[in-house]
Structures are given as structure tokens and as C-alpha cells.
Amino acid sequence: MTQTLTWNDSFATGVAEIDEQHMILVHTLNEAAIKLAADPSLSNLDQITRDLLSYALYHFETEEELMHQYSYEAASDDAAAQHLEQHRSFSARIVAVRDAIKAGNLMPPGELLAFLNDWLTNHILNTDKQFGAFILARQSR
């Protein structure tokens, strides 16, 4: 069975740029699930994790630029620090998975997809929704 995420309004932060990138991440994860169900090879895992890490870093950079633009750290130091730490720990985990793949250690695709889907869902519904609410409040001033 293929693990997929379905985008719904509960994922929306209200910040168009963030929401568009989250939709792309959900779509990318769903495509990865389909590809891995058909071919769970090392080369496929390598390609998927490389593409995912690349887009995730681009997305994190976008969010972090918005944090700076809206002075998120000054207004909410703990939340901003936690947000950045989540970005760093996710990136480190994917780099570790990629290192394992390069060493020939195949992470079970279901385990990887469960981690990715859970992480993205929790990050959007908690951390990013909080950040989105902060941005919307700043914009409405």
C-alpha cells in the first residue's frame, strides 16, 4: 500500500508563498511514494532523497527569509529558535539517510515515507501554522 498525504485546508497557513511550497512538498512526497512502491532500489532512493533535500532546503530558506523580513526572532525568540532547529534536524536526518544509501544501506521505503509524512504534517500543523499566524498578524497591522 502506498502512503500518501492529501492536501486539505487544515494545512493552509494563509501565507501564499509558504502554502504553495507546502503543496509542492506534499506532491513530491506522494510522487516519491508511488515511485518507491514500483521500484524501491538504492538508485531510486538516492534520487528521491536528493530531490527532496534540495527542495526542502529551498523551502526552509524561504521561511527563514520571511522570519527575518517579519522580525520573527525579535518577537518570538523561542518559537523562532524551535522552528530553525526543526529545519536543521530534518536536514541532518535526510543527510544521514543519504549517507547510509551511499554506503549501500537501504532504509525501508515505508519507514522513510512514514518519517517524511509525519514530519511534514507535524511541522506544518504546528510550527508553520504558528509562524503563518504571526505573519498574517504583522501584515494586518
Side-chain angles (χ1 to χ4, degrees), residues 72-88:
Y72 192 48
E73 288 163 330
S76 186
D77 188 46
D78 288 346
Q82 180 184 19
H83 199 141
L84 293 173
E85 174 53 32
Q86 288 179 14
H87 287 176
R88 303 300 173 266

Side-chain angles (χ1 to χ4, degrees), residues 1-140:
M1 185 173 119
T2 305
Q3 299 171 334
T4 57
L5 286 176
T6 301
W7 180 268
N8 62 65
D9 289 344
S10 71
F11 287 124
T13 64
V15 180
E17 189 173 15
I18 291 174
D19 290 340
E20 288 165 11
Q21 290 182 8
H22 285 166
M23 285 183 210
I24 291 169
L25 281 167
V26 167
H27 178 75
T28 301
L29 286 182
N30 289 339
E31 280 193 337
I34 292 165
K35 286 180 186 173
L36 288 173
D39 176 18
S41 65
L42 272 174
S43 63
N44 218 4
L45 266 171
D46 180 61
Q47 179 69 47
I48 286 166
T49 55
R50 181 173 53 242
D51 292 349
L52 181 65
L53 182 61
S54 175
Y55 194 80
L57 292 174
Y58 164 74
H59 171 65
F60 294 163
E61 189 176 285
T62 299
E63 285 188 358
E64 291 168 21
E65 285 173 4
L66 288 168
M67 286 180 193
H68 181 71
Q69 179 182 341
Y70 287 96
S71 302
Y72 192 48
E73 288 163 330
S76 186
D77 188 46
D78 288 346
Q82 180 184 19
H83 199 141
L84 293 173
E85 174 53 32
Q86 288 179 14
H87 287 176
R88 303 300 173 266
S89 65
F90 175 84
S91 299
R93 174 81 189 266
I94 298 303
V95 167
V97 168
R98 291 194 40 72
D99 288 345
I101 290 167
K102 289 176 190 167
N105 299 321
L106 189 67
M107 179 179 199
E111 186 180 319
L112 176 63
L113 292 168
F115 163 73
L116 294 171
N117 288 345
D118 290 347
W119 190 92
L120 185 62
T121 300
N122 289 326
H123 186 73
I124 291 173
L125 292 179
N126 298 305
T127 310
D128 285 342
K129 292 276 279 197
Q130 179 182 354
F131 179 48
F134 174 84
I135 291 174
L136 294 177
R138 281 286 166 103
Q139 289 175 342
S140 69

